[in-house]
Amino acid sequence: MKRIHFGTRSRFEKYICFGKRTNFGECMLAGMFLLAMALFWANSSPFGEAGKLYTCLRQQAFGSGDANVSKEQQSAAAVDGLLKEYADTLWQRQKLLDLHGAAAKILHMQGYYSDLGIYVTDDGRIVSPYAQTSTDYEYGQLLSLKQELDQKGIRLIYVNEPTKYTDDHFFAEQFGVESYSNRNADLFLQRIRKAGVPVVDLREALAEEGMQAEELFYRTDHHWTVPGGFWATRKIAEALNQYCGYHIDLSVYDASRYSFTSWKNCWIMKEASENILRREIMIPF
């Protein structure tokens, strides 16, 4: 039995098998997708890039004569330019991206871009794993900052911004990959609290108000939404009043005093955008 494996270490891994247990529907979908890819490729005049590719390889082998630029830098710049020009002139580019995203969603390829640190949840949110760290560097840097501020009579408050998930086990359960985002934060906050640094952990504030971390973020972006930033600003203002003796009028953070407009179909993609755009990958889940 021959297997083609889609995805990366995910409990949603899917297989197309050629044999008695062949899933005919998925085989047809995969075949149509490959046929469409070949059609897009053929209509994009890829052979017209052959001369530019030759120039790129020649620069990689011999350099361009600029002593201030290494062969690796010349090669990387040439390849980036070649890929960008090719992608910008791709025939039916947007339709290809839409087809790619639709096929990936149907086939549950949540870990397809794991080499870029990108995973897609069942409900279409982009999340990323974080490696384990000792927090020694971050701890030392913050203590140095605290000492400088103490000498100047300035209070330091550390605000911990949550990631899109507050339980690291979520990542292992969804994708079979360990993430240490919250465990790193727990260790770091424990250390700086012992050093006398007041901490505002927004994860705790989320739990107190029955909110989920994902509510603060755009689905395909690692930045806060406007309402998410508005909520966090109020929490930080409360901390300034508590720890620094400020008298900030918290009524200015009453959402009922403002009007909000939402664009439901607005597509924002900042997370890992540099690498994604370089490879011309979009994830419209």
Side-chain angles (χ1 to χ4, degrees):
M1 180 179 293
K2 183 178 180 182
R3 292 184 172 180
I4 299 177
H5 176 218
F6 296 92
T8 303
R9 291 185 295 176
S10 169
R11 68 185 179 89
F12 298 103
E13 290 174 342
K14 296 292 181 181
Y15 297 87
I16 296 179
C17 305
F18 299 91
K20 290 184 177 180
R21 298 183 180 179
T22 297
N23 185 320
F24 182 74
E26 289 191 349
C27 282
M28 286 293 294
L29 176 62
M32 292 173 63
F33 178 69
L34 292 175
L35 180 62
M37 289 286 289
L39 180 63
F40 280 113
W41 182 77
N43 280 277
S44 298
S45 302
F47 302 106
E49 306 294 325
K52 298 173 185 177
L53 180 59
Y54 169 76
T55 301
C56 170
L57 294 174
R58 186 175 184 279
Q59 288 180 346
Q60 184 175 9
F62 304 107
S64 64
D66 188 346
N68 297 320
V69 182
S70 68
K71 290 181 182 180
E72 290 77 12
Q73 291 173 320
Q74 295 169 20
S75 178
V79 169
D80 284 348
L82 186 65
L83 290 176
K84 185 178 187 307
E85 183 175 345
Y86 178 78
D88 288 344
T89 59
L90 194 63
W91 181 68
Q92 297 291 325
R93 178 176 180 272
Q94 189 56 52
K95 291 183 179 179
L96 174 61
L97 295 174
D98 292 342
L99 176 62
H100 180 277
K105 183 176 183 180
I106 293 172
L107 295 173
H108 301 288
M109 297 161 64
Q110 282 97 335
Y112 188 72
Y113 301 115
S114 59
D115 59 320
L116 298 177
I118 294 176
Y119 293 79
V120 183
T121 62
D122 287 337
D123 58 354
R125 290 181 294 113
I126 290 179
V127 292
S128 299
Y130 296 84
Q132 187 175 22
T133 177
S134 67
T135 73
D136 288 344
Y137 174 79
E138 295 81 3
Y139 178 69
Q141 291 292 300
L142 191 70
L143 284 192
S144 296
L145 175 61
K146 182 179 184 301
Q147 292 171 1
E148 288 288 331
L149 295 178
D150 286 345
Q151 293 174 6
K152 300 179 184 299
I154 301 174
R155 292 291 305 275
L156 171 64
I157 299 176
Y158 184 84
V159 179
N160 183 59
E161 176 188 355
T163 56
K164 289 186 175 181
Y165 50 94
T166 57
D167 184 354
D168 292 338
H169 297 297
F170 149 82
F171 222 93
E173 293 172 358
Q174 281 273 315
F175 309 110
V177 175
E178 284 290 346
S179 177
Y180 292 86
S181 172
N182 292 282
R183 283 170 283 186
N184 290 339
D186 291 340
L187 175 60
F188 179 67
L189 297 183
Q190 180 184 25
R191 297 179 71 181
I192 65 174
R193 277 173 168 146
K194 289 182 178 179
V197 178
V199 171
V200 179
D201 189 349
L202 292 178
R203 297 175 303 171
E204 296 176 356
L206 286 170
E208 290 172 0
E209 298 192 13
M211 297 173 60
Q212 299 296 322
E214 63 193 59
E215 298 178 45
L216 302 181
F217 298 90
Y218 294 102
R219 287 159 56 87
T220 55
D221 188 86
H222 65 278
H223 292 101
W224 287 341
T225 63
V226 172
F230 189 80
W231 173 85
T233 301
R234 175 170 59 86
K235 289 300 177 183
I236 294 171
E238 291 175 357
L240 290 172
N241 287 347
Q242 177 182 353
Y243 294 110
C244 299
Y246 286 17
H247 301 284
I248 300 173
D249 181 6
L250 298 179
S251 67
V252 300
Y253 305 112
D254 183 354
S256 64
R257 300 177 62 176
Y258 301 85
S259 60
F260 296 85
T261 302
S262 298
W263 286 270
K264 299 294 185 182
N265 295 320
C266 181
W267 196 86
I268 297 176
M269 180 62 188
K270 179 63 178 175
E271 198 153 15
S273 60
E274 181 178 350
N275 287 328
I276 290 174
L277 293 176
R278 182 175 298 170
R279 285 174 41 175
E280 287 302 317
I281 298 169
M282 298 291 186
I283 313 176
F285 282 3

